């Protein structure tokens, strides 16, 4: 079902590319039409990127009397002092900027955004996480779309300043590129629900308030507020051609914390939002896409279950000949992988090219991505299960590094976790388990083996091996 939904989004994406955007827009040449904007920068212990963030945001090309900057600083380390000094220096340079701190982190990022909103002077609220570097003309490219009174959010596409740093950053960029093109355009072009991505977007203040304001009861407050706003009838505008550069996690422990938060938050929002979606007066197609969107993190749980059961299945299939026809019918579901392969290729060639060499590079990247995604399936399944059963946990920020080239090093980052969890040990055991699955292909059956699942087990072995060994080597 998820694969078929992706295929539908691909058709939507292709058709959307043929449609000219005739949205009404503010005329920014007319000073009277330029609205006031509040730029919110929610930060927490960002020693490595804080100066870069502030030096970048001060370059925004927008009338100085038409915007303010709120640094929403929940930090608990020495960066509170250095950030305060930097903000004071920028204020002396004539920038309307405030350093806002809280006595507690209640609600985490959602709580900080909500508190800042109470004193925000802007009609529109732009939000950037600490690792994002919006271009100088970012506001001029996004604000004009709010001329349409129905628009509650304008979201831009993420780009990646360190895409080629490592295999880990390449596969993260590969997945995010598909989301920000295929899914966001595919849904938005047909009026289906999309999500504000937590950063690199701008909200209409009245939309936030009308939807019930920020709530901190899930780990993905952005997805939560997005659905509440769209259920209230607000429209979202997604701009694929406006990119906002950001830094991808370069070490696997940072990617783990980010993946855990996104996947658990997705499951929490499934619990919170599904009934509201199904009871609404939305079209059936929008309801289906919304439910599958809210369920997408649960894919990891399915992958893990299928993987674990596939080895016993291999033996059962070859022990009981009368069941073989069932397994032949079940092989039809391999079509889902083919659908993903086609969908991701259309996105890949748009960004990288359409030559034979590009296609070969894509094939390698696709199977590398799928293998490593499988390797994350245990970690992400635990996050999904916690989300579905309602287990609460703290909002854990993804450590930032200020890394954009191979010359930069993440070694010594003080925010990295330095312990090896039980999950990592289990991932090592699963690597051996799936290696046994590869060995089993040679010994089952009467015809010299059964290699139908060999590629699947090889990808699982590689994926869990990658995650296991990278977790061991990046603990310090």
């Amino acid at each position: 079902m998820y694969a078929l939904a992706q295929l539908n989004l691909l058709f939507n994406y292709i058709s959307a590319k043929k449609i000219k955007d005739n949205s009404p827009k503010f005329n920014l040449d007319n000073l009277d039409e330029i609205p006031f904007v509040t730029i919110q920068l929610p930060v927490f212990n960002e020693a490595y990127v804080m100066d870069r963030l502030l030096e970048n945001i001060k370059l925004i090309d927008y009338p100085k009397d038409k915007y303010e900057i709120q640094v929403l600083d929940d930090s608990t380390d020495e960066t509170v002092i250095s950030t305060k000094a930097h903000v004071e220096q920028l204020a002396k340079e004539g920038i309307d900027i405030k350093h806002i701190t809280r006595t507690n982190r209640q609600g985490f990022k959602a709580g900080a955004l909500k508190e800042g909103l109470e004193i925000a002077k802007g009609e529109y609220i732009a939000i950037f996480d600490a690792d994002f570097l919006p271009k100088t003309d970012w506001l001029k490219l996004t604000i004009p779309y709010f001329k349409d009174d129905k628009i509650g959010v304008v979201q831009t596409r993420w780009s990646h300043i360190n895409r080629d740093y490592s295999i880990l950053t390449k596969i993260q960029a590969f997945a995010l590129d598909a989301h920000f093109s295929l899914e966001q355009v595919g849904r938005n072009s047909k009026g289906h629900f999309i999500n504000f991505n937590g950063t690199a977007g701008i909200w209409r203040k009245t939309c936030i308030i009308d939807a019930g304001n920020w709530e901190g009861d899930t780990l993905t407050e952005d997805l939560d507020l997005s659905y509440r706003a769209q259920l209230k009838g607000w429209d979202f505008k997604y701009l694929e051609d406006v990119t906002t550069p950001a830094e991808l996690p370069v070490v696997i422990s940072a990617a783990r914390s980010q993946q855990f938060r996104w996947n658990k938050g997705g499951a929490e929002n499934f619990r919170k939002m599904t009934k509201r979606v199904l009871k609404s007066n939305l079209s059936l197609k929008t309801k289906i896409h919304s439910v599958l969107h809210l369920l997408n993190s649960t894919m990891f749980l399915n992958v893990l279950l299928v993987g674990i059961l596939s080895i016993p299945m291999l033996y059962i299939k070859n022990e009981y000949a009368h069941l073989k026809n069932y397994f032949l019918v079940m092989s039809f579901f391999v079509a889902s992988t083919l659908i993903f392969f086609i969908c991701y290729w259309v996105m890949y060639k748009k960004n990288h090219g359409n030559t034979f060499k590009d296609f070969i590079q894509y094939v390698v990247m696709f199977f590398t991505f799928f293998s490593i995604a499988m390797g994350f399936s245990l970690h992400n399944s635990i996050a999904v299960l916690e989300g579905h059963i309602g287990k609460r946990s703290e909002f854990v920020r993804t450590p930032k590094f200020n890394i954009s080239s191979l010359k930069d090093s993440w070694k010594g980052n003080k925010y990295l976790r330095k312990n090896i969890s039980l999950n990592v040990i289990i991932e090592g055991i699963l690597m051996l388990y799936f290696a046994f699955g590869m060995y089993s292909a040679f010994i089952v059956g009467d015809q010299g083996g059964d290699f139908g699942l060999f590629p699947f087990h090889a990808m699982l072995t590689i994926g869990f091996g990658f995650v296991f060994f990278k977790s061991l080597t990046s603990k310090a």
Side-chain angles (χ1 to χ4, degrees):
M1 288 178 65
Y2 186 74
L4 290 173
Q6 295 292 100
L7 186 61
N8 180 247
L9 292 178
L10 176 62
F11 294 144
N12 293 351
Y13 178 86
I14 293 170
S15 64
K17 296 288 99 180
K18 302 173 184 176
I19 301 172
K20 187 176 180 180
D21 187 350
N22 294 314
S23 304
K25 300 180 184 70
F26 286 128
N27 177 15
L28 297 187
D29 292 330
N30 181 354
L31 290 177
D32 293 333
E33 281 204 46
I34 300 177
F36 196 96
V37 179
T38 296
I39 300 173
Q40 292 187 324
L41 308 175
V43 299
F44 175 71
N45 294 352
E46 310 287 8
Y48 300 97
V49 296
M50 199 63 224
D51 288 341
R52 183 181 73 179
L53 171 68
L54 292 174
E55 286 301 306
N56 181 79
I57 207 70
K58 79 174 186 180
L59 301 175
I60 284 288
D61 181 15
Y62 202 73
K64 283 194 173 182
D65 61 341
K66 291 289 187 175
Y67 76 94
E68 65 168 346
I69 301 170
Q70 293 182 336
V71 181
L72 306 174
D73 193 354
D74 275 0
S75 298
T76 56
D77 64 2
E78 72 282 357
T79 58
V80 175
I81 298 171
S82 58
T83 298
K84 183 174 184 290
H86 200 152
V87 167
E88 289 174 351
Q89 178 58 40
L90 292 178
K92 289 178 183 177
E93 295 176 18
I95 296 173
D96 186 353
I97 185 170
K98 298 179 181 64
H99 185 229
I100 300 170
T101 59
R102 301 192 295 166
T103 55
N104 63 67
R105 289 184 68 209
Q106 183 177 355
F108 305 110
K109 181 180 176 180
L113 292 170
K114 185 175 182 179
E115 192 160 314
L117 191 70
E118 292 176 0
I119 57 172
K121 295 184 289 185
E123 305 165 57
Y124 304 97
I125 313 295
I127 300 171
F128 299 103
D129 283 347
D131 51 332
F132 279 73
L133 301 168
K135 297 173 185 176
T136 55
D137 61 351
W138 191 90
L139 282 178
K140 289 183 175 180
L141 294 174
T142 54
I143 276 293
Y145 289 92
F146 285 101
K147 177 85 170 181
D148 183 348
D149 291 338
K150 295 179 181 179
I151 297 293
V153 170
V154 173
Q155 173 68 52
T156 64
R157 179 165 64 92
W158 298 2
S159 59
H160 320 289
I161 61 176
N162 60 337
R163 171 194 295 272
D164 296 321
Y165 183 81
S166 66
I167 291 176
L168 182 63
T169 57
K170 286 178 180 177
I171 63 113
Q172 290 176 88
F174 183 82
L176 286 169
D177 287 348
H179 165 70
F180 278 98
S181 289
L182 173 71
E183 296 183 347
Q184 292 288 66
V185 175
R187 293 188 182 113
N188 193 223
S189 64
K190 297 298 183 182
H192 305 319
F193 284 12
I194 65 168
N195 58 299
F196 167 65
N197 293 105
T199 177
I202 185 164
W203 284 82
R204 189 187 296 270
K205 186 176 181 180
T206 52
C207 173
I208 297 175
I209 295 169
D210 181 53
N213 216 321
W214 296 103
E215 295 179 358
D217 57 345
T218 73
L219 293 181
T220 45
E221 73 296 320
D222 45 8
L223 179 61
D224 171 26
L225 185 57
S226 296
Y227 266 68
R228 284 188 279 120
Q230 288 167 107
L231 284 168
K232 278 277 191 173
W234 290 95
D235 292 336
F236 281 26
K237 182 73 176 179
Y238 177 67
L239 303 179
E240 185 187 15
D241 295 330
V242 180
T243 60
T244 309
E247 179 184 320
L248 294 161
V250 296
V251 62
I252 203 161
S253 59
R256 276 178 176 275
S257 65
Q258 187 178 72
Q259 287 284 311
F260 193 92
R261 188 174 73 249
W262 287 352
N263 286 288
K264 181 171 181 175
E268 288 175 329
N269 273 289
F270 174 79
R271 292 182 76 233
K272 182 174 181 177
M273 289 295 163
T274 300
K275 286 183 180 179
R276 302 189 201 183
V277 168
L278 294 177
K279 289 180 179 179
S280 71
N281 59 357
L282 298 169
S283 70
L284 177 61
K285 201 168 185 179
T286 295
K287 287 181 180 180
I288 291 171
H289 273 291
S290 297
V291 171
L292 290 172
H293 182 197
L294 292 169
L295 262 180
N296 65 2
S297 61
T298 306
M299 286 284 289
F300 286 103
L301 182 58
N302 293 326
V303 168
L304 182 64
L305 287 171
V306 169
I308 290 173
L309 293 172
S310 64
I311 296 176
M313 189 181 82
L314 183 64
Y315 283 89
I316 292 168
K317 174 188 172 187
N318 284 279
E319 185 71 23
Y320 301 98
H322 65 283
L323 294 177
K324 283 196 173 182
N325 288 335
Y326 292 101
F327 290 107
L328 285 173
V329 172
M330 287 165 61
S331 65
F332 164 76
F333 292 100
V334 174
S336 62
T337 303
L338 179 62
I339 290 172
F340 286 124
F341 184 86
I342 294 169
C343 290
Y344 280 56
W345 165 239
V346 174
M347 300 304 107
Y348 185 90
K349 71 179 182 180
K350 182 180 70 73
N351 295 318
H352 300 277
N354 195 19
T355 66
F356 180 73
K357 181 181 177 182
D358 294 321
F359 180 73
I360 296 301
Q361 290 175 339
Y362 165 73
V363 171
V364 173
M365 180 56 64
F366 178 82
F367 286 104
T368 301
F369 160 70
F370 254 59
S371 296
I372 296 174
M374 289 176 180
F376 272 100
S377 62
L378 173 70
H379 176 78
N380 290 345
S381 291
I382 293 170
V384 167
L385 287 171
E386 286 190 7
H388 281 308
I389 65 175
K391 180 180 178 182
R392 301 300 299 274
S393 60
E394 184 176 325
F395 185 105
V396 178
R397 284 281 186 139
T398 305
K400 314 298 191 308
F401 300 87
N402 195 8
I403 285 178
S404 57
S405 72
L406 291 172
K407 296 178 182 179
D408 302 321
S409 174
W410 53 266
K411 298 288 185 181
N413 187 301
K414 63 183 180 179
Y415 300 130
L416 290 177
R417 295 180 176 181
K418 295 179 171 59
N419 61 314
I420 297 295
S421 69
L422 176 62
N423 292 353
V424 174
I425 304 302
I426 298 173
E427 285 162 350
I429 294 170
L430 285 170
M431 174 192 68
L432 297 176
Y433 176 70
F434 293 117
F436 171 73
M438 294 169 65
Y439 165 75
S440 298
F442 293 91
I443 62 172
V444 297
D446 302 324
Q447 308 297 323
D450 183 342
F451 294 92
L453 288 171
F454 188 87
F456 182 53
H457 291 150
M459 291 171 68
L460 284 161
T461 303
I462 292 168
F464 277 102
F466 178 90
V467 172
F468 173 65
F469 287 113
K470 282 290 184 180
S471 297
L472 290 181
T473 56
S474 65
K475 66 184 180 66

